[in-house]
Amino acid sequence: MKPTIPTILAGAAIVILSAAHTGPAFATLGEGADSVAKDRKALSATKRATTTRAANYSVQEVVSDTVTVREFISPDGVVFAVAWNGLTTPDLTTLFGSYFPEYQDAKQQAPRRHGHKQSRVKSGNIVVETWGHMRNLQGRAYVPALVPGGVNLEEIH
């Protein structure tokens, strides 16, 4: 049986779309904990640890060659915060999901502070803090409305 033109085109489209997304993906703020397993695969990373904290939330950590990402998961199974450190900053578009446009707008409106290696961007729904230096970039982001009661924000790092 000889393949038809539509079959060949459909196969080519699948290959092109698969190749188009080669960057790492991470759990997305506001999404379920099941996204962590997808992240590990997309990162070609290994799961380093899952810990449960006293405030009754869990932290899942995945590690790749360039970045470590910690995903903070509420008792309801929702990612309420993410933190990272490594050689690079992860793809924040994927990491923040639907919160990214709001973050981007807030960042553009924030006054620029030249020479500072630390920034804090706060909008109505998301808080993003970054710091560090070359080869040691760090940051965290959280959605205050999703943070479970009793969680100390200083624990998100």
Side-chain angles (χ1 to χ4, degrees), residues 113 115-120 129-132:
R113 296 175 20 174
H116 289 85
K117 293 176 173 60
Q118 187 173 2
S119 81
R120 185 171 201 265
E129 299 171 341
T130 58
W131 63 93

Side-chain angles (χ1 to χ4, degrees), residues 96 99 102-111 119-130 140-145 153:
F96 297 170
Y99 294 98
E102 185 176 337
Y103 159 72
Q104 194 172 33
D105 289 344
K107 185 176 179 181
Q108 288 174 351
Q109 293 176 13
S119 81
R120 185 171 201 265
V121 175
K122 182 178 180 182
S123 71
N125 294 309
I126 186 172
V127 177
V128 180
E129 299 171 341
T130 58
R140 71 179 185 170
Y142 58 93
V143 178
L153 294 178

